Amino acid sequence: MRKTLWLIFWISLGTGFQLVAQQSTVRNRFAGLHLDFHAGKNDTLIGKTFTFALIDSMLTVTQPDFIQVDCKGHDGFSSYPTKTGNAPTRFEKDIMKIWREVTRKHGIPLYVHYSGVWDSEAIRQHPEWARINADGSRDKNAVSLLSPYADELLIPQLKELAVEYQLDGAWIDGECWVMQNDYSPDVMERFTRETGIEIIPRKNTDPHFFEWSEFNRKLFREYVTHYVNAVHAVRPDFKITSNWAFSSMMPEPVDVPVDYLSGDVAGTNGLYSSAFESRCLALQGKSWDLMSWSFTWKADQLKATKSVQQLQQEAAQVLAMGGGFQSYWQQNRDGTPEPYHFGAMGELLRFTKARREYTYENEIIPQVGLLYSNYAWKRIPAGGLYQGHSQAAVKGTLNMLLDRQMAVDIIQDHQLTDRLQKYPVVVLPEWTGIDPEIRTQLLQYVENGGNLLITGAAAISGFQEELGIKTAGNMQKDSLFFAGAGKKILRMKTSFQPVHLLEGTQPFGWQYTSDDLRFRGEFPLASVRKYGKGRIAGLYLNTGDYYTKNKNSLIPELLETLIRYQTPNLITSVKGSSKVHQVVARKNNKLTVHLINTGGAHDNPTVATYDEVTPLHDLELNVRLFVRPKTVRLQPGNRSLPFQYQNGNVTIKIPVLDIHRIVEIEDIY
């Protein structure tokens, strides 16, 4: 709902701005558009074909809840005539003023894309601001967090945008994901002063490298806190985020005053990427949104615009988990959007907004919990401090579970205390060296009646006694072998840990000596045993990254078999197609089951785009409920669905699933 407020605020004398009265439209960031072009030094025709009428036409056709536009890219040049930052030598028009005029007419909040830590021009002008790399060289792109950059450039420019241009917020890019340890004298001196460690580690094998990295991570959080507080001091309602903060790239508790969380999903296979990134943000306790690139961009600079259907699939993954959704469309070098995309933008936004009342900020119901071990992740050597490293196993495991129509959350270490006991089953996907306290917590959860599945050849080594196994020799690293379960055999090449099962431990799947079910080997693929009031299961091979690169049905089916053997009481199941992902949530005191059609070649690396997603027909949704529901409806569209209720189970027939539909069950409690 649109609300208009008159905001009167005092501006710091140091900024040179005066007392300002501003009319600001307050809306949640739900269905949005993002446009940028990273202005460069030689972009001297900015505004040439940019007109009020063009933007008015765009917003009339698309009607977003909010829009983000270019402001300052990684090169460090602003796309408007800034008085506080760096800009090209000449402009045809001040397009930022036009953006503000037109968005104000339409009552649409205006945000900007602003590159923060990554500012190449600031470093060219001020070499002393640069981050110092481990080899002593000055970084050409990233600033040092203890340099004057924030106070002398970033904060004054954000205040300029917030006050003089009266914008609504900023999406700060080029931040956590470009962070590396900084060997600037001020940083090293402060580290020694605070820790007492005098010899600064240069390599990840040096003593205290973990402490050094954690210190640099702390500096980043302090840096973000500093500039957010500084801007909020003059415009409390100016909404700011740091791109990818507290996401899969920065899996930590939210402890800085950003107003929302966000990230941009690039590359190919956006459907699976959106599913993963959404689940890393959904439980962080902040409003959040995800951005899908509207195009694929490959290393050879080949570009193709995605179809609306392709983008709707990515949007569905985000919406189902309770987030807002925005899509990224490029601007031309003069700052204009590309008019031939307006129709597609509008269609995508209508799809998104039609689902808002059934999705936005919903409550995810715990079913299968997939653990993202912050503790283990931080101790794995990587090129940067906050990057998407060492995620292959958790991503691949998530994909397998989703492809078996299971409702899955990703839970991080700091979220376990409040949520662990709510999950029927938790999966620990190939993490080694988890926090000892988390290990204890997981085992106590099983003793109290929970169910734990540990996957990975090395990950099971810390749980042998509890699993009821004894290892049989060393781990077979990158071993080529036949794996069989049920009536299927798969020849795999992955790491495998042979084990012998102790009394009371039940096997699932086996190694085979050939591609023939008659010739079973001596080592099981997996096992389950009782532990306290619950059950603990192990899968003795690495499967996550293998599945991503070698999609198959055997391993996902084995995972589902283990989970359903441990806990047969999951709320929902889907029959009729393997191309359905589901999310189980609660919204407006109703149970909502999201069904997402995952058809299309999104996971084929040779396919840039596809134009058709074949509808799925005659699906059956089964929901375990204590009482007969009052109504079952298919949303959006408010279509009543017939159902049968017997012995605590609701059977619902879904005639057709196009892209994304929500089964809304009323009066179930």
Side-chain angles (χ1 to χ4, degrees), residues 72-92:
K72 188 191 79 170
H74 300 326
D75 284 350
F77 290 93
S78 299
S79 55
Y80 71 101
T82 177
K83 299 174 184 176
T84 60
N86 300 307
T89 56
R90 189 171 69 87
F91 291 86
E92 294 284 334

Side-chain angles (χ1 to χ4, degrees), residues 130-271:
R131 178 177 67 206
I132 305 298
N133 298 315
D135 62 3
S137 64
R138 292 187 183 274
D139 198 285
K140 295 181 179 180
N141 297 314
V143 299
S144 173
L145 303 184
L146 294 185
S147 74
Y149 166 77
D151 289 321
E152 296 187 15
L153 195 157
L154 183 145
I155 292 171
Q157 192 164 20
L158 290 179
K159 288 181 178 179
E160 176 185 61
L161 294 162
V163 177
E164 186 167 311
Y165 282 86
Q166 301 183 17
L167 305 188
D168 295 284
W171 192 85
I172 312 297
D173 198 6
E175 294 233 291
C176 72
W177 54 273
V178 302
M179 285 298 301
Q180 295 186 33
N181 287 326
D182 183 2
Y183 292 85
S184 299
D186 289 348
V187 176
M188 293 191 293
E189 185 277 330
R190 181 174 160 186
F191 173 71
T192 297
R193 174 162 38 91
E194 292 188 10
T195 66
I197 299 171
E198 296 184 354
I199 299 177
I200 309 298
R202 299 279 171 168
K203 303 187 298 295
N204 57 41
T205 54
D206 290 343
H208 304 299
F209 188 83
F210 175 78
E211 291 83 356
W212 171 237
S213 298
E214 281 291 273
F215 175 78
N216 276 269
R217 291 184 178 110
K218 183 184 77 167
L219 289 186
F220 175 71
R221 297 193 299 273
E222 290 179 356
Y223 158 85
V224 176
T225 298
H226 174 58
Y227 75 70
V228 170
N229 284 341
V231 179
H232 281 166
V234 298
R235 272 287 305 278
D237 67 330
F238 189 80
K239 295 183 178 180
I240 304 173
T241 197
S242 177
N243 183 25
W244 287 121
F246 307 106
S247 68
S248 70
M249 297 187 188
M250 187 178 171
E252 297 177 334
V254 180
D255 60 356
V256 304
V258 290
D259 296 292
Y260 61 99
L261 306 180
S262 187
D264 57 319
V265 177
T268 58
N269 203 3
L271 182 141

Side-chain angles (χ1 to χ4, degrees), residues 476-484 489-497 510-514 523 525 540-543 546 555:
Q476 299 171 1
K477 189 173 183 181
D478 294 327
S479 174
L480 185 65
F481 62 93
F482 291 101
I489 291 182
L490 178 69
R491 195 177 193 194
M492 305 179 66
K493 188 176 183 181
T494 190
S495 295
F496 178 78
Q497 176 60 63
W510 294 88
Q511 268 196 334
Y512 282 78
T513 59
S514 68
F523 300 121
L525 302 181
Y540 306 118
L541 60 157
N542 291 355
T543 58
Y546 182 86
I555 300 300

Side-chain angles (χ1 to χ4, degrees), residues 404 485 488 552-562:
R404 295 305 299 171
K488 295 180 179 179
N552 65 87
S553 60
L554 187 150
I555 300 300
E557 288 178 10
L558 178 58
L559 276 176
E560 182 183 10
T561 298
L562 292 168

Side-chain angles (χ1 to χ4, degrees), residues 530-548:
K530 291 183 179 180
Y531 185 81
K533 296 178 181 179
R535 287 187 172 94
I536 185 167
L539 180 64
Y540 306 118
L541 60 157
N542 291 355
T543 58
D545 191 40
Y546 182 86
Y547 181 76
T548 301

Side-chain angles (χ1 to χ4, degrees), residues 92 113 182 201 218 228 238 304 316 324 378 573 585 617 619 625 648:
E92 294 284 334
H113 167 270
D182 183 2
K218 183 184 77 167
V228 170
F238 189 80
K378 284 188 174 183
S573 63
H617 295 272
L619 302 177
L625 294 178

